Amino acid sequence: MKVLERFSQFVSNTFAIWVLLFAVLAFFIPSGFSWIGAYITTLLGIVMFGMGLTITVADFKEVLTRPKDVAVGVVGQFLIMPTLAFLLVKLFNLQPEIAIGVILVGCCPGGTSSNVMTFLAKGDVALSVTVTSITTLLAPIITPGLIYLFASEYIDVAPSALFMSIVKVIIIPIALGFIVQKFFNKQAKASVKVMPLVSVVAIVAIVAAVVAGNQQKIAETGLIIFTVVVLHNCLGYLIGYLFGKIFGMNLAKKKAIAIEVGMQNSGLGASLAVAHFSPLAAVPSAIFSVWHNISGPILATIFSRMNDKVK
């Protein structure tokens, strides 16, 4: 078991490498990975189940002890990234399917990897965990509404269908994980040690499936999508940091908000795109997943070297 734990830790620490490697393999050998596309929703559910195994009531105590900080993070998440996505879509005059995909990833809640990056950045981890948990739980209501607001000009959006999808792939698996943790605590604690490995495999598989299923389209439009995704992510970090500064947060909190805002649950974006829109609409989420696992560690390294003298 200890060997498996160490391997899990190694794979988790080298997450970006595996995502990039299998994205490239899926691009050049699409037939080897396209079959995974049918299991994207299931794979994301497994990741969310793992999140449920780790969530505790204590993760939400920050809502009561620091409501302003949590509110800044939650509002920043659901205000900055969707607005940026919409502006970038307009600026680059993206075709409808790609535009929907960019808006989709912008409207998703924060990704769980943001908590790890905040820790590495010497940021406020408790705040990051709470904001991730709250935005994830609010996603069934807020994400469909935001998608309807920003994407309805490109395609008919059914908020109720999106709501049900998010409940199925986010809320139910998290709730099941939480229940298992409560009633089978000992087994859950043992499982948590290898969940990073399971999560990495699942996310890598999702990315590979989307890339394989859209290999030709990515060859045609990949550069423009990559440019938009990089701008979306990096501007999210920057504006998230400034958003925290506006509200007088200290450096650790600003780091947490910046990372929380910039890193998205791109797996959810890919799942919603495949289920409700088109395979091509899932491509921005897949590329975002590759990119933010590269940019996140870079930003965390820069942040870790900053001290409180930095304004």
Side-chain angles (χ1 to χ4, degrees), residues 53-305:
L53 288 176
T54 64
I55 287 179
T56 65
V57 175
D59 292 336
F60 298 93
K61 69 179 181 181
E62 304 298 315
V63 177
L64 300 176
T65 59
R66 295 192 291 169
K68 177 187 171 183
D69 294 342
V70 175
V72 169
V74 173
V75 172
Q77 174 66 56
F78 285 128
L79 174 66
I80 295 169
M81 292 304 273
T83 305
L84 274 176
F86 182 75
L87 293 175
L88 287 168
V89 161
K90 291 296 184 182
L91 178 65
F92 285 86
N93 193 30
L94 298 179
Q95 65 185 75
E97 287 180 299
I98 298 174
I100 292 163
V102 173
I103 291 170
L104 258 179
V105 75
C107 295
C108 286
T112 53
S113 54
S114 63
N115 307 149
V116 178
M117 293 303 113
T118 300
F119 171 76
L120 296 175
K122 299 179 182 177
D124 192 328
V125 178
L127 177 60
S128 176
V129 170
T130 302
V131 172
T132 298
S133 300
I134 296 296
T135 55
T136 299
L137 294 178
L138 289 176
I141 297 172
I142 296 181
T143 295
L146 289 171
I147 294 170
Y148 180 80
L149 176 65
F150 290 111
S152 56
E153 70 175 272
Y154 298 101
I155 196 170
D156 288 334
V157 178
S160 59
L162 289 170
F163 170 83
M164 290 307 301
S165 285
I166 298 173
V167 168
K168 289 176 183 176
V169 301
I170 296 283
I171 302 302
I172 292 177
I174 288 177
L176 289 173
F178 186 77
I179 291 169
V180 168
Q181 177 200 157
K182 284 296 178 185
F183 290 97
F184 303 96
N185 189 260
K186 185 177 179 180
Q187 294 89 336
K189 283 183 177 179
S191 301
V192 163
K193 295 176 181 178
V194 296
M195 278 311 297
L197 174 61
V198 176
S199 296
V200 168
V201 171
I203 294 298
V204 167
I206 290 172
V207 171
V210 173
V211 171
N214 296 276
Q215 190 265 358
Q216 187 174 352
K217 289 288 186 180
I218 291 173
E220 296 170 2
T221 62
L223 182 59
I224 186 70
I225 298 176
F226 183 76
T227 301
V228 171
V229 163
V230 170
L231 283 172
H232 193 195
N233 175 237
C234 292
L235 286 172
Y237 291 144
L238 175 61
I239 298 174
Y241 185 89
L242 296 175
F243 197 67
K245 187 174 182 178
I246 289 170
F247 289 94
M249 289 182 156
N250 63 29
L251 181 59
K253 293 177 184 178
K254 286 185 288 189
K255 291 176 181 178
I257 298 302
I259 294 171
E260 199 61 38
V261 168
M263 300 189 80
Q264 300 292 88
N265 187 338
S266 48
L268 175 61
S271 177
L272 292 176
V274 170
H276 297 280
F277 301 107
S278 71
L280 182 57
V283 172
S285 290
I287 294 177
F288 199 102
S289 187
V290 174
W291 171 250
H292 82 179
N293 282 296
I294 296 171
S295 67
I298 293 172
L299 181 65
T301 301
I302 294 170
F303 273 170
S304 68
R305 296 172 181 172

